[in-house]
Amino acid sequence: MSSVLLQALQTIVGESHVLSHGDLSAYERDWRGRMQGKALCVVKPRTTAEVVQVVKACAAAGVAIVPQGGNTSMVVGAVPDTSGTQVLLNLQRMNQLRALDKANLTLTAEAGCVLHHIQQAASDAGLLFPLSLASEGSCTIGGNLASNAGGTQVLRYGNARDLCLGLEVVTAQGEVWHGLSGLRKDNTGYDLRDIFIGSEGTLGIITAATLKLYPQPAAELTAWAAVPSMSAAVQLLGLAQQHLGAGLTGFEVMGQFALQLVNTHFPALHVPLWQTAAYCVLLSHSDTESETHGNAQLERLLEEALNQGCASDAVVANSLAQGRQLWQVRESISSAQAAEGLNIKHDISLPVSAIPDFVAHTDALLAKEVAGVRLVNFGHLGDGNLHYNVQCPAGTDASAFLATQEHRINTLVYDAVMKFSGSISAEHGVGSLKADTLHLYKDPVALQLMRSIKQALDPQNLMNPGRVLAVPSVAAQV
Ligand code: FAD
Ligand code: 2HG
Ligand code: ZN
């Protein structure tokens, strides 16, 4: 059967775009090195019509499909399992910009367009596409929407869901939903777009999207501040909101050990003030008037923060280039963590007001329960989103540590997240890493509704099976 399917897929997309031999680790291994899968083959369609044919051929053969964009998922969402039976559908060849409507402030792009190219196309037209992630040089807009990505400008512009007006989707049955509307208002029933956004490839294949654009700000300014504690960081956030209003586009917090890792693994980068305080904050301000006006506002904010004691020191970038260097430090934390070794990630969401108590409680709990554990705590504080990550004790074997401690650490952290009314995924999604955990922390009625949607849209369970909703065990089915 599999050789018949392989031949059918070769006929649809062309022989050279079906890969089944050689080193396929770029497709089969996830970015974090948590999973090495094995695909039946990697299929790279060029058009929506080809995706339709691929989906129909797989459905007829009863073969599962794993959609993949840039393969930067943090939750093992986009690589096949180890069975060698799943077709990996890589969308990277679907990389055309279909339209840019300046008056409507919209851009329509195919799913495989790399995020950075979309940002560039908007900028070339004198506009802004504000979705911004450290992986933007390789992640795709299809992957961003499928995982409802967040990033560093959510505070001002929202997450991927908020930036999307319409979708084109190939359903699990191989039909095309032509939903590429550029409408900002459309109350004609259930919002199908919002069902596919964040569905992590489990309901259908996103083949194109119509995205919201914004005017470019007159000036972009960046500041870095050392802060004595997490509660001081939250106090500084409040001040920044008061002083900068909608101009505050990003507010990131970085713990000392996270910055130490950047300092160690990227010695060419200058990491300011990291040795002087428990945390540093990076904030960006998009001013609609001018650089001089924006700078003056930032200076006033920082002066007040220093006076109130919620910052102990601060620098304002004196050029766009210097601002970019500060952001590079922040965006290198994930790679520095990877260079330090395998690790445990907790991409958690909390009410901003609860974050200082959550951190005090959970830092102490982990220090007591897991001797020597190293916390890499950073994230999008302005959105209430922490990357509360865990590195094994120095000098220990990371794989062995994860094998024995990951489940226990996850339970400690996620139970604490629940205690403080949070969520176990803020922006990375569930993937396969959290699929077995979700049912412990999600409302049972919500889970039942999600299963009903999955059953209605993908009754054969062929779209990225085992992601988001774990396959129920036989015992659970009876
Ligand atoms: P993939 O990893 O290929 O896929 C992600 C999920 O979407 C998978 O479940 C996959 O099956 C599905 N999928 C992909 N394409 C499609 C499609 N066309 N149709 C249907 N389903 C599809 N995430 C954040 O939210 N914020 C961050 O700040 C952030 N920073 C990151 C920094 C680094 C260094 C890295 C490596 C990752 C980061 N991520 C972040 C995680 C990741 O980059 C994002 O989730 C990104 O949106 C994934 O895009 P991708 O194209 O790589 O998708
Ligand atoms: C970021 O904010 C990403 O840099 C990655 O979401 C977070 O590595 C992580 O845990
Ligand atoms: Zn993040």
Side-chain angles (χ1 to χ4, degrees):
M1 169 55 101
S2 63
S3 68
V4 175
L5 178 62
L6 273 176
Q7 268 178 17
L9 296 175
Q10 285 170 351
T11 308
I12 295 164
V13 300
E15 215 169 308
S16 60
H17 303 303
V18 179
L19 316 176
S20 55
H21 295 102
D23 179 10
L24 298 179
S25 54
Y27 305 97
E28 293 176 334
R29 189 178 166 81
D30 78 300
W31 190 88
R32 291 177 58 197
R34 297 296 315 262
M35 167 88 182
Q36 171 70 58
K38 175 85 192 91
L40 174 64
C41 63
V42 177
V43 183
K44 302 179 87 173
R46 174 63 210 86
T47 62
T48 303
E50 288 179 4
V51 175
V52 166
Q53 293 309 313
V54 169
V55 170
K56 283 186 172 164
C58 290
V63 167
I65 294 178
V66 178
Q68 184 182 79
N71 194 17
T72 65
S73 168
M74 287 277 173
V75 287
V76 189
V79 291
D81 66 17
T82 51
S83 66
T85 61
Q86 301 185 321
V87 166
L88 193 146
L89 184 73
N90 181 291
L91 279 297
Q92 285 174 7
R93 288 181 66 235
M94 291 194 62
N95 59 6
Q96 299 300 301
L97 293 179
R98 291 195 189 161
L100 194 151
D101 183 339
K102 276 187 97 161
N104 197 43
L105 288 173
T106 51
L107 181 154
T108 298
E110 289 182 348
C113 283
V114 170
L115 175 56
H116 177 69
H117 296 157
I118 294 179
Q119 294 166 338
Q120 195 56 52
S123 165
D124 291 347
L127 295 167
L128 173 74
F129 181 60
L131 189 66
S132 178
L133 328 174
S135 55
E136 63 201 24
S138 45
C139 65
T140 62
I141 194 66
N144 300 147
L145 290 164
S147 59
N148 187 24
T152 53
Q153 303 212 74
V154 173
L155 190 55
R156 164 71 179 88
Y157 297 102
N159 50 22
R161 184 187 302 284
D162 299 308
L163 295 169
C164 177
L165 293 173
L167 289 179
E168 179 185 272
V169 173
V170 174
T171 69
Q173 293 71 36
E175 286 170 326
V176 183
W177 169 45
H178 296 282
L180 283 178
S181 130
L183 303 178
R184 282 173 172 76
K185 289 185 159 186
D186 182 2
N187 276 353
T188 51
Y190 307 135
D191 197 328
L192 299 175
R193 175 196 56 181
D194 272 353
I195 287 178
F196 286 106
I197 294 174
S199 65
E200 302 185 44
T202 62
L203 301 178
I205 316 291
I206 297 171
T207 48
T210 298
L211 306 165
K212 273 189 206 168
L213 301 179
Y214 286 83
Q216 284 180 351
E220 284 176 53
L221 307 130
T222 306
W224 181 287
V227 299
S229 62
M230 190 57 93
S231 56
V234 170
Q235 195 185 334
L236 177 56
L237 171 64
L239 276 185
Q241 281 162 334
Q242 265 171 34
H243 278 256
L244 307 175
L248 180 64
T249 48
F251 192 99
E252 301 285 314
V253 72
M254 297 154 287
Q256 192 174 50
F257 184 57
L259 293 174
Q260 183 184 330
L261 287 181
V262 176
N263 192 60
T264 304
H265 294 288
F266 298 101
L269 293 180
H270 170 61
V271 185
L273 304 177
W274 73 271
Q275 280 162 306
T276 70
Y279 294 93
C280 285
V281 155
L282 177 61
L283 67 91
S284 56
H285 169 40
S286 300
D287 198 89
T288 47
E289 284 187 33
S290 67
E291 194 172 320
T292 320
H293 179 263
N295 258 327
Q297 278 194 304
L298 263 190
E299 299 285 355
R300 270 198 299 277
L301 160 68
L302 294 173
E303 202 180 299
E304 191 170 341
L306 292 168
N307 284 339
Q308 288 193 12
C310 60
S312 53
D313 204 348
V315 286
V316 176
N318 59 20
S319 64
L320 215 51
Q322 203 184 45
R324 289 212 182 97
Q325 281 165 15
L326 293 174
W327 274 102
Q328 206 188 340
V329 171
R330 158 63 183 88
E331 297 196 329
S332 300
I333 297 175
S334 299
S335 298
Q337 248 210 296
E340 185 72 9
L342 281 182
N343 52 71
I344 306 171
K345 290 191 188 288
H346 304 110
D347 160 44
I348 56 177
S349 195
L350 291 154
V352 171
S353 50
I355 285 182
D357 286 346
F358 166 84
V359 168
H361 167 87
T362 318
D363 283 10
L365 184 67
L366 288 177
K368 182 166 113 285
E369 296 288 332
V370 199
V373 80
R374 296 174 298 164
L375 294 180
V376 183
N377 184 7
F378 65 104
H380 318 287
L381 185 64
D383 313 325
N385 175 189
L386 290 183
H387 297 304
Y388 193 79
N389 299 343
V390 172
Q391 208 85 35
C392 66
T396 55
D397 179 288
S399 304
F401 178 80
L402 262 61
T404 57
Q405 299 298 324
E406 182 168 19
H407 179 69
R408 188 162 154 250
I409 290 175
N410 286 347
T411 304
L412 292 170
V413 173
Y414 292 147
D415 285 357
V417 167
M418 287 300 119
K419 180 176 157 70
F420 289 91
S421 309
S423 164
I424 66 164
S425 174
E427 59 174 8
H428 295 164
V430 176
S432 50
L433 273 190
K434 294 184 185 175
D436 286 332
T437 312
L438 188 68
H439 72 102
L440 300 172
Y441 298 101
K442 185 114 186 153
D443 177 83
V445 176
L447 275 175
Q448 195 45 52
L449 291 170
M450 283 166 60
R451 287 195 195 100
S452 305
I453 292 171
K454 172 74 175 170
Q455 173 65 27
L457 270 60
D458 179 24
Q460 281 183 279
N461 192 24
L462 294 181
M463 294 281 131
N464 221 0
R467 314 300 156 110
V468 184
L469 293 167
V471 181
S473 67
V474 177
Q477 284 171 1
V478 291

